């Protein structure tokens, strides 16, 4: 019973301070570098990032008349 209550308290605080935790983690260079390497191994994300870097956003918001 106490372990479940303790787990709920931890989940609550992680959820409440999730952006601060994420900023602290990504503030570490090696974690940020690892996250980028891991993300670039996913083919769909890599293709999307590369196409946006090379050709810009193709969202259709630019009015070419």
């Amino acid at each position: 019973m106490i372990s479940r209550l303790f787990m709920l308290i931890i989940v609550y605080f992680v959820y409440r301070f999730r952006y601060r935790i994420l900023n602290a983690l990504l503030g570490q260079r090696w974690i940020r570098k690892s996250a980028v390497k891991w993300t670039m191994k996913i083919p769909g994300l890599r293709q999307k990032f590369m196409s946006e870097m090379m050709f810009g956003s193709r969202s259709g918001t630019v009015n070419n008349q």
Side-chain angles (χ1 to χ4, degrees), residues 23-37:
N23 283 337
L25 288 174
L26 292 177
Q28 304 296 317
R29 183 178 179 182
W30 68 274
I31 295 176
R32 185 174 56 246
K33 196 172 183 179
S34 298
V36 171
K37 283 183 182 180

Side-chain angles (χ1 to χ4, degrees), residues 14 17-28 31 35:
V14 168
F17 298 110
R18 63 190 181 273
Y19 296 115
R20 288 185 187 188
I21 294 169
L22 191 61
N23 283 337
L25 288 174
L26 292 177
Q28 304 296 317
I31 295 176

